[in-house]
Amino acid sequence: MTTPDTIVLVHGFWVTPRSWEQWVTHYESKGFRVIAPGYPGFEVEVEALRENPQIIVDVTVPAIIEKIEGVLRELDKPPIIMGHSAGGAFTQILLDHGFGAAGVALNSAPTEGVRVVPLSQVKSTFPVLKSPANRHKAVGLSLEEWSYAFTNTFTEDESRALYERYHIPANGGILWGSVLANFQPGHQDTWVDYHNDNRAPLLFISGSEDHIMPPAIQKSNAKHYKSNTITEVKEYEGYAHLLPAQKGWEEIADYALDWALSHAR
């Protein structure tokens, strides 16, 4: 095993790589190379995506995975991969595909087969799932919806500031696809092999107050793994979905890094 020198940060929906800005600086100050790739077309800034949401509509899960795998193939040695929300599900897929020395999924979206659907998640995703027509749209959240789903433990001013800095619409088709994945035959876009013994170690980090991806989802997702590899769950009390931006995030970032370094294969 060689010690990883690179950290790849994968963002989730309704935000962009900008949502990792504090973590990039934090890890770079520790001497790591940090890469936070955007989804295909997301090479522009938040404001440009708001003005042209068709870029978001055109994104697919296979295209996202293909792009990030292209980034990973260019590295000299396996990195630590960390993903938040949908980025957590993508982190699981990337590990299953043989990439990474270790992975950390923060408040992860579920991979295929996880059927736990807490009421707070239903309410959080209702702006998209209330209409099948949203499968062909980029669907944004109002400030009120954002505050419930992402920043329910933040102050009103903090929530508004983060909404203005990070929020973009999300791809309704991918969200609908994740819901329907458990009811369709064959492997869907977020399928992983839960019996893959060659997968790198994986840590789930869960915020106890997360509404959209609550701890029950993290625990169920982790329990699906039956492979002879390391899979652990760490829960942080008082943290909401936008955990990477919540006060005290440095402690979580350091724990994630230390865990990944100590378990890197």
Side-chain angles (χ1 to χ4, degrees):
M1 189 271 290
T2 57
T3 302
D5 60 4
T6 302
I7 302 169
V8 175
L9 302 171
V10 186
H11 67 89
F13 294 158
W14 285 294
V15 297
T16 73
R18 183 188 287 180
S19 62
W20 287 116
E21 57 187 341
Q22 297 184 99
W23 288 51
V24 171
T25 302
H26 187 69
Y27 286 149
E28 286 180 340
S29 72
K30 294 177 179 291
F32 288 88
R33 178 188 183 193
V34 185
I35 303 171
Y39 302 161
F42 281 46
E43 295 81 7
V44 297
E45 280 295 353
V46 167
E47 293 75 14
L49 289 168
R50 290 171 182 160
E51 292 176 2
N52 182 17
Q54 187 60 42
I55 295 172
I56 300 168
V57 176
D58 292 340
V59 162
T60 66
V61 171
I64 293 169
I65 298 299
E66 180 179 359
K67 179 182 178 183
I68 299 174
E69 288 185 351
V71 172
L72 298 174
R73 289 192 185 94
E74 295 296 318
L75 302 177
D76 294 332
K77 53 185 178 181
I80 295 167
I81 304 173
M82 298 186 186
H84 173 244
S85 195
F90 300 151
T91 295
Q92 296 180 61
I93 294 170
L94 293 166
L95 295 186
D96 184 43
H97 289 185
F99 293 94
V104 180
L106 302 105
N107 287 338
S108 179
T111 43
E112 185 178 336
V114 178
R115 298 175 181 270
V116 175
V117 186
L119 287 176
S120 67
Q121 185 186 50
V122 174
K123 180 176 179 179
S124 297
T125 55
F126 186 71
V128 176
L129 303 180
K130 65 183 178 183
S131 171
N134 285 336
R135 296 173 65 181
H136 309 291
K137 298 178 181 176
V139 183
L141 300 175
S142 67
L143 175 58
E144 181 180 1
E145 292 164 344
W146 164 271
S147 298
Y148 180 81
F150 276 69
T151 55
N152 47 299
T153 60
F154 293 60
T155 68
E156 186 175 329
D157 287 344
E158 289 171 338
S159 185
R160 182 183 298 104
L162 292 166
Y163 180 78
E164 292 173 353
R165 179 148 183 80
Y166 294 151
H167 171 264
I168 63 167
N171 182 304
I174 295 178
L175 288 164
W176 266 95
S178 67
V179 171
L180 298 174
N182 289 330
F183 305 98
Q184 295 178 308
H187 299 327
Q188 306 301 310
D189 289 344
T190 58
W191 180 84
V192 298
D193 180 2
Y194 293 119
H195 298 271
N196 180 0
D197 290 333
N198 295 318
R199 192 213 70 203
L202 171 63
L203 171 67
F204 287 88
I205 287 183
S206 178
S208 68
E209 306 307 312
D210 187 346
H211 278 167
I212 191 169
M213 299 298 169
I217 291 177
Q218 311 309 314
K219 293 172 184 174
S220 178
N221 201 153
K223 285 181 179 178
H224 273 69
Y225 282 99
K226 307 300 182 185
S227 52
N228 187 26
T229 53
I230 298 172
T231 307
E232 295 183 5
V233 180
K234 172 76 171 178
E235 184 171 322
Y236 281 89
E237 289 294 324
Y239 279 84
H241 188 63
L242 198 58
L243 176 151
Q246 186 168 338
K247 189 175 298 182
W249 62 266
E250 296 92 337
E251 177 186 344
I252 301 174
D254 289 344
Y255 181 88
L257 177 58
D258 290 345
W259 188 95
L261 289 172
S262 64
H263 291 83
R265 62 178 186 180

